[in-house]
Amino acid sequence: MILIVDSGATKADWIALDDEGNKLFVTKTLGLSPEVLTKEIIRERLTNNFELYKHRKEVTQLFFYGAGCGTERMRKFLGDIFKDYFSNARIKVKEDTYAAIYATVEPDQQAIVCILGTGSNCSYWDGKELFQKVTSLGYILMDDCSGNYFGRQLLRDYYYHKIPERLASKFSDEYDLDEDSIKNSLYKEPNPNTYLATFARFLIQNKDEEYSQVLIRKGMQLFIDNAISQYEQAKEVPIHFIGSIAYYLQDELQQAFKDNGLNLGKVLRRPIDGLVDYHKSILFEE
Protein backbone atom coordinates (compact mmCIF):
# COMPACT_ATOMS: atom_id res chain seq x y z
CA MET A 1 0.00 0.00 0.00
CA ILE A 2 1.23 3.48 -0.92
CA LEU A 3 0.19 6.56 1.06
CA ILE A 4 0.39 10.03 -0.48
CA VAL A 5 -0.19 12.93 1.89
CA ASP A 6 -0.54 16.69 1.60
CA SER A 7 -0.53 18.31 5.03
CA GLY A 8 -1.11 21.95 5.79
CA ALA A 9 -1.02 23.35 9.29
CA THR A 10 -4.80 22.93 9.64
CA LYS A 11 -5.60 19.61 7.93
CA ALA A 12 -4.02 16.80 5.96
CA ASP A 13 -5.36 14.90 2.93
CA TRP A 14 -4.36 11.21 2.68
CA ILE A 15 -4.85 8.95 -0.35
CA ALA A 16 -3.98 5.25 -0.35
CA LEU A 17 -3.10 3.40 -3.55
CA ASP A 18 -2.53 -0.29 -4.16
CA ASP A 19 0.55 -1.61 -5.96
CA GLU A 20 -1.09 -1.02 -9.34
CA GLY A 21 -2.07 2.58 -8.65
CA ASN A 22 -5.73 1.98 -7.86
CA LYS A 23 -7.25 4.15 -5.15
CA LEU A 24 -8.01 2.22 -1.96
CA PHE A 25 -9.29 4.94 0.34
CA VAL A 26 -9.24 8.68 0.97
CA THR A 27 -9.14 10.15 4.45
CA LYS A 28 -8.25 13.26 6.43
CA THR A 29 -6.51 14.12 9.67
CA LEU A 30 -5.74 17.34 11.42
CA GLY A 31 -2.53 18.97 10.19
CA LEU A 32 0.79 17.45 11.24
CA SER A 33 3.16 20.42 11.26
CA PRO A 34 6.27 19.40 13.22
CA GLU A 35 7.08 23.02 14.02
CA VAL A 36 4.14 23.45 16.37
CA LEU A 37 3.20 19.90 17.47
CA THR A 38 4.81 17.42 19.83
CA LYS A 39 5.55 13.80 18.99
CA GLU A 40 2.68 12.74 21.26
CA ILE A 41 0.12 14.96 19.51
CA ILE A 42 1.21 13.84 16.04
CA ARG A 43 1.00 10.19 16.99
CA GLU A 44 -2.42 10.76 18.59
CA ARG A 45 -3.71 12.34 15.38
CA LEU A 46 -2.56 9.31 13.42
CA THR A 47 -4.05 6.83 15.86
CA ASN A 48 -7.38 8.64 15.98
CA ASN A 49 -7.86 7.96 12.27
CA PHE A 50 -9.43 4.52 11.86
CA GLU A 51 -8.19 3.90 8.30
CA LEU A 52 -4.59 4.78 9.11
CA TYR A 53 -4.54 2.78 12.32
CA LYS A 54 -6.16 -0.23 10.68
CA HIS A 55 -3.77 -0.32 7.71
CA ARG A 56 -0.57 0.97 9.33
CA LYS A 57 1.26 -2.38 8.95
CA GLU A 58 0.28 -2.67 5.27
CA VAL A 59 1.88 0.59 4.16
CA THR A 60 5.04 -0.01 2.12
CA GLN A 61 5.69 3.56 0.93
CA LEU A 62 4.75 6.91 2.42
CA PHE A 63 5.19 10.16 0.50
CA PHE A 64 4.49 13.02 2.90
CA TYR A 65 4.46 16.70 1.92
CA GLY A 66 3.88 19.03 4.82
CA ALA A 67 3.90 22.52 6.25
CA GLY A 68 6.72 22.97 8.72
CA CYS A 69 9.00 20.49 6.91
CA GLY A 70 11.38 23.05 5.43
CA THR A 71 14.42 22.03 7.49
CA GLU A 72 16.25 18.72 7.77
CA ARG A 73 15.70 18.69 11.52
CA MET A 74 11.91 18.91 11.15
CA ARG A 75 11.85 16.33 8.34
CA LYS A 76 13.84 13.88 10.47
CA PHE A 77 11.65 14.54 13.52
CA LEU A 78 8.50 13.73 11.55
CA GLY A 79 10.11 10.91 9.59
CA ASP A 80 11.13 9.14 12.79
CA ILE A 81 7.54 9.26 14.03
CA PHE A 82 6.30 7.79 10.75
CA LYS A 83 8.96 5.06 10.75
CA ASP A 84 7.75 3.95 14.15
CA TYR A 85 4.06 4.12 13.24
CA PHE A 86 4.22 2.72 9.69
CA SER A 87 6.85 0.16 10.59
CA ASN A 88 7.01 -1.61 7.20
CA ALA A 89 7.16 1.52 5.05
CA ARG A 90 9.85 3.45 3.26
CA ILE A 91 9.36 7.07 4.27
CA LYS A 92 9.91 10.26 2.27
CA VAL A 93 9.16 13.62 3.91
CA LYS A 94 9.32 16.88 1.95
CA GLU A 95 8.05 20.38 2.54
CA ASP A 96 4.63 21.26 1.17
CA THR A 97 6.10 23.45 -1.57
CA TYR A 98 7.00 20.30 -3.51
CA ALA A 99 3.36 19.22 -3.45
CA ALA A 100 2.41 22.60 -4.89
CA ILE A 101 5.04 22.26 -7.61
CA TYR A 102 4.04 18.75 -8.62
CA ALA A 103 0.37 19.78 -8.74
CA THR A 104 0.73 22.98 -10.78
CA VAL A 105 3.91 23.05 -12.86
CA GLU A 106 4.23 21.40 -16.26
CA PRO A 107 7.31 19.22 -16.87
CA ASP A 108 10.48 21.32 -17.31
CA GLN A 109 8.48 24.53 -16.85
CA GLN A 110 9.98 27.40 -14.87
CA ALA A 111 7.60 29.01 -12.39
CA ILE A 112 7.23 30.71 -9.06
CA VAL A 113 5.06 28.61 -6.77
CA CYS A 114 3.32 30.06 -3.73
CA ILE A 115 1.23 28.76 -0.86
CA LEU A 116 -1.42 30.95 0.74
CA GLY A 117 -3.29 28.92 3.31
CA THR A 118 -2.96 28.84 7.07
CA GLY A 119 0.64 29.93 6.42
CA SER A 120 2.44 31.24 3.34
CA ASN A 121 5.61 30.68 1.38
CA CYS A 122 7.09 31.32 -2.04
CA SER A 123 9.66 29.40 -4.10
CA TYR A 124 11.22 29.42 -7.56
CA TRP A 125 11.28 26.21 -9.62
CA ASP A 126 13.77 26.22 -12.51
CA GLY A 127 12.31 23.09 -14.08
CA LYS A 128 14.46 20.72 -12.06
CA GLU A 129 15.37 22.28 -8.73
CA LEU A 130 13.69 24.34 -6.01
CA PHE A 131 15.15 27.65 -4.82
CA GLN A 132 14.05 29.73 -1.85
CA LYS A 133 15.58 33.13 -1.20
CA VAL A 134 13.70 33.72 2.03
CA THR A 135 13.91 31.40 5.02
CA SER A 136 10.62 31.53 6.89
CA LEU A 137 10.75 32.31 10.59
CA GLY A 138 7.20 31.11 11.10
CA TYR A 139 3.80 32.59 11.70
CA ILE A 140 4.77 35.17 14.34
CA LEU A 141 7.28 37.05 12.19
CA MET A 142 6.35 36.13 8.61
CA ASP A 143 3.50 34.38 6.76
CA ASP A 144 2.30 37.55 5.01
CA CYS A 145 -1.15 37.27 3.39
CA SER A 146 -1.86 33.91 5.04
CA GLY A 147 -4.89 32.87 7.03
CA ASN A 148 -3.09 33.45 10.31
CA TYR A 149 -1.86 36.85 9.07
CA PHE A 150 -5.39 38.01 8.33
CA GLY A 151 -6.70 36.53 11.57
CA ARG A 152 -4.06 38.38 13.53
CA GLN A 153 -4.89 41.65 11.77
CA LEU A 154 -8.61 41.23 12.39
CA LEU A 155 -8.11 40.63 16.11
CA ARG A 156 -5.74 43.58 16.42
CA ASP A 157 -8.10 45.88 14.56
CA TYR A 158 -11.05 44.71 16.64
CA TYR A 159 -9.30 45.45 19.91
CA TYR A 160 -7.86 48.73 18.60
CA HIS A 161 -11.40 49.74 17.49
CA LYS A 162 -10.37 50.03 13.83
CA ILE A 163 -13.09 47.81 12.37
CA PRO A 164 -16.24 49.74 11.37
CA GLU A 165 -18.86 49.40 14.12
CA ARG A 166 -21.40 47.47 12.05
CA LEU A 167 -18.78 44.99 10.89
CA ALA A 168 -17.26 44.72 14.37
CA SER A 169 -20.66 43.82 15.79
CA LYS A 170 -21.06 41.10 13.19
CA PHE A 171 -17.54 39.83 13.95
CA SER A 172 -18.27 39.55 17.67
CA ASP A 173 -21.53 37.71 16.97
CA GLU A 174 -19.73 35.01 15.00
CA TYR A 175 -16.66 34.45 17.19
CA ASP A 176 -15.74 34.20 20.84
CA LEU A 177 -13.73 37.41 21.22
CA ASP A 178 -13.40 37.30 24.99
CA GLU A 179 -9.85 38.33 25.83
CA ASP A 180 -9.23 35.37 28.15
CA SER A 181 -10.42 32.93 25.50
CA ILE A 182 -8.17 34.50 22.88
CA LYS A 183 -5.13 34.49 25.17
CA ASN A 184 -5.72 30.90 26.16
CA SER A 185 -5.95 29.80 22.52
CA LEU A 186 -2.86 31.76 21.54
CA TYR A 187 -0.56 31.00 24.45
CA LYS A 188 -1.73 27.76 26.08
CA GLU A 189 -3.32 25.64 23.36
CA PRO A 190 -1.53 23.84 20.48
CA ASN A 191 -1.64 25.24 16.94
CA PRO A 192 -2.01 28.98 17.64
CA ASN A 193 -1.36 29.63 13.93
CA THR A 194 -4.33 27.46 13.00
CA TYR A 195 -6.47 29.22 15.60
CA LEU A 196 -5.63 32.62 14.11
CA ALA A 197 -6.44 31.35 10.63
CA THR A 198 -10.00 30.48 11.64
CA PHE A 199 -10.81 34.20 11.70
CA ALA A 200 -9.86 34.58 8.02
CA ARG A 201 -13.19 32.99 7.10
CA PHE A 202 -14.90 36.18 8.29
CA LEU A 203 -12.73 38.28 6.00
CA ILE A 204 -13.53 36.06 3.00
CA GLN A 205 -17.26 36.07 3.75
CA ASN A 206 -17.23 39.87 4.00
CA LYS A 207 -14.59 40.57 1.38
CA ASP A 208 -16.72 43.14 -0.47
CA GLU A 209 -16.69 45.49 2.52
CA GLU A 210 -14.37 48.49 2.08
CA TYR A 211 -12.53 47.62 5.31
CA SER A 212 -11.94 44.07 4.06
CA GLN A 213 -10.73 45.19 0.65
CA VAL A 214 -8.13 47.48 2.23
CA LEU A 215 -6.90 44.69 4.50
CA ILE A 216 -6.75 42.17 1.64
CA ARG A 217 -4.86 44.56 -0.66
CA LYS A 218 -2.37 45.33 2.10
CA GLY A 219 -1.70 41.66 2.78
CA MET A 220 -1.29 40.80 -0.89
CA GLN A 221 1.05 43.71 -1.53
CA LEU A 222 3.20 42.67 1.43
CA PHE A 223 3.44 39.16 0.02
CA ILE A 224 4.34 40.47 -3.45
CA ASP A 225 6.94 42.88 -2.09
CA ASN A 226 8.50 40.57 0.51
CA ALA A 227 8.25 37.18 -1.17
CA ILE A 228 7.56 37.20 -4.91
CA SER A 229 9.71 40.23 -5.75
CA GLN A 230 12.77 38.50 -4.28
CA TYR A 231 13.04 36.61 -7.56
CA GLU A 232 14.40 38.40 -10.61
CA GLN A 233 12.25 36.12 -12.80
CA ALA A 234 9.04 37.36 -11.14
CA LYS A 235 7.75 39.19 -14.24
CA GLU A 236 8.93 36.53 -16.70
CA VAL A 237 7.38 33.28 -15.45
CA PRO A 238 3.88 32.16 -14.35
CA ILE A 239 3.18 32.37 -10.64
CA HIS A 240 1.06 29.50 -9.33
CA PHE A 241 -0.82 29.33 -6.03
CA ILE A 242 -2.05 26.62 -3.71
CA GLY A 243 -4.22 27.19 -0.64
CA SER A 244 -7.62 28.35 0.54
CA ILE A 245 -6.71 32.03 0.90
CA ALA A 246 -5.51 32.23 -2.71
CA TYR A 247 -8.45 30.15 -3.91
CA TYR A 248 -11.20 32.19 -2.26
CA LEU A 249 -9.55 35.54 -3.00
CA GLN A 250 -8.72 34.85 -6.66
CA ASP A 251 -10.35 38.04 -7.94
CA GLU A 252 -8.36 40.19 -5.51
CA LEU A 253 -5.19 38.24 -6.33
CA GLN A 254 -5.74 38.78 -10.06
CA GLN A 255 -6.13 42.53 -9.52
CA ALA A 256 -3.01 42.72 -7.33
CA PHE A 257 -1.04 40.90 -10.02
CA LYS A 258 -2.36 43.20 -12.72
CA ASP A 259 -1.34 46.23 -10.64
CA ASN A 260 2.18 44.81 -10.24
CA GLY A 261 2.67 43.52 -13.78
CA LEU A 262 2.77 39.86 -12.75
CA ASN A 263 1.42 36.76 -14.50
CA LEU A 264 -1.01 34.74 -12.40
CA GLY A 265 -0.92 31.04 -13.24
CA LYS A 266 -2.95 28.22 -11.71
CA VAL A 267 -4.81 28.71 -8.43
CA LEU A 268 -5.78 25.49 -6.65
CA ARG A 269 -7.37 25.03 -3.28
CA ARG A 270 -5.62 21.72 -2.57
CA PRO A 271 -2.82 19.95 -4.48
CA ILE A 272 -3.67 16.37 -3.53
CA ASP A 273 -5.22 15.27 -6.87
CA GLY A 274 -2.31 16.61 -8.90
CA LEU A 275 0.08 15.09 -6.38
CA VAL A 276 -1.45 11.64 -6.86
CA ASP A 277 -1.25 11.98 -10.65
CA TYR A 278 2.42 12.91 -10.35
CA HIS A 279 3.24 9.87 -8.24
CA LYS A 280 1.28 7.55 -10.51
CA SER A 281 3.33 8.82 -13.46
CA ILE A 282 6.64 8.02 -11.78
CA LEU A 283 5.65 4.84 -9.93
CA PHE A 284 3.52 3.04 -12.53
CA GLU A 285 4.66 4.31 -15.91
CA GLU A 286 5.19 1.52 -18.38
Side-chain angles (χ1 to χ4, degrees):
M1 180 184 295
I2 300 163
L3 281 179
I4 300 169
V5 191
D6 170 57
S7 174
T10 303
K11 57 185 178 299
D13 293 314
W14 300 68
I15 292 184
L17 306 177
D18 66 17
D19 291 338
E20 296 180 349
N22 300 306
K23 191 178 295 184
L24 296 174
F25 65 82
V26 177
T27 190
K28 293 180 182 291
T29 65
L30 294 174
L32 302 178
S33 174
E35 286 187 329
V36 296
L37 298 175
T38 65
K39 175 181 178 180
E40 291 72 24
I41 291 176
I42 292 172
R43 189 174 177 89
E44 179 184 3
R45 291 185 176 184
L46 294 172
T47 302
N48 284 343
N49 183 284
F50 174 76
E51 294 284 0
L52 298 181
Y53 182 78
K54 176 183 177 182
H55 297 290
R56 68 192 187 283
K57 302 289 187 183
E58 302 167 36
V59 179
T60 57
Q61 295 186 77
L62 170 64
F63 298 95
F64 183 92
Y65 301 85
C69 297
T71 66
E72 181 58 34
R73 183 172 68 89
M74 290 293 96
R75 289 192 290 272
K76 184 179 185 306
F77 170 74
L78 198 54
D80 287 345
I81 297 172
F82 290 149
K83 286 177 184 176
D84 181 58
Y85 193 81
F86 302 104
S87 56
N88 296 317
R90 288 188 291 125
I91 310 294
K92 287 190 178 181
V93 177
K94 289 187 175 184
E95 63 179 298
D96 52 354
T97 298
Y98 281 95
I101 290 168
Y102 297 151
T104 60
V105 181
E106 300 298 326
D108 299 321
Q109 180 189 49
Q110 298 179 27
I112 291 174
V113 181
C114 308
I115 295 176
L116 289 183
T118 298
S120 67
N121 65 39
C122 178
S123 304
Y124 174 69
W125 179 253
D126 73 350
K128 297 185 182 301
E129 293 186 60
L130 175 70
F131 297 92
Q132 289 183 320
K133 283 197 172 184
V134 176
T135 300
S136 176
L137 297 176
Y139 75 97
I140 294 177
L141 295 178
M142 292 186 169
D143 275 0
D144 292 339
C145 202
S146 66
N148 71 67
Y149 165 85
F150 286 124
R152 183 168 63 248
Q153 297 304 119
L154 281 166
L155 288 176
R156 282 171 54 85
D157 284 357
Y158 179 81
Y159 268 87
Y160 280 129
H161 308 293
K162 292 185 176 181
I163 299 180
E165 185 175 346
R166 178 183 57 81
L167 203 58
S169 177
K170 188 176 180 181
F171 189 39
S172 63
D173 286 341
E174 293 191 21
Y175 293 93
D176 179 3
L177 299 181
D178 175 74
E179 61 185 85
D180 288 331
S181 177
I182 293 173
K183 289 178 182 178
N184 182 70
S185 296
L186 288 177
Y187 304 117
K188 294 185 178 181
E189 297 292 331
N191 291 64
N193 56 331
T194 301
Y195 166 73
L196 285 171
T198 62
F199 296 99
R201 175 174 55 85
F202 181 83
L203 186 70
I204 292 169
Q205 291 174 337
N206 297 275
K207 69 175 189 174
D208 293 332
E209 298 281 350
E210 182 180 355
Y211 163 83
S212 301
Q213 284 291 308
V214 171
L215 185 55
I216 292 167
R217 285 196 299 270
K218 178 182 177 182
M220 289 186 172
Q221 195 61 50
L222 280 173
F223 187 76
I224 290 170
D225 292 342
N226 293 334
I228 294 174
S229 295
Q230 294 279 340
Y231 300 101
E232 60 187 21
Q233 303 91 345
K235 294 190 177 182
E236 302 170 2
V237 299
I239 303 173
H240 304 303
F241 281 84
I242 293 286
S244 56
I245 296 298
Y247 182 79
Y248 287 115
L249 297 178
Q250 287 185 61
D251 292 342
E252 290 74 15
L253 194 58
Q254 181 70 66
Q255 184 60 53
F257 269 44
K258 182 178 179 181
D259 293 343
N260 286 270
L262 301 172
N263 177 22
L264 183 62
K266 297 177 183 177
V267 181
L268 304 178
R269 184 181 177 190
R270 292 191 299 266
I272 188 64
D273 291 332
L275 195 56
V276 170
D277 290 340
Y278 166 79
H279 280 283
K280 280 185 176 182
S281 72
I282 61 174
L283 291 173
F284 307 109
E285 60 183 9
E286 298 181 353

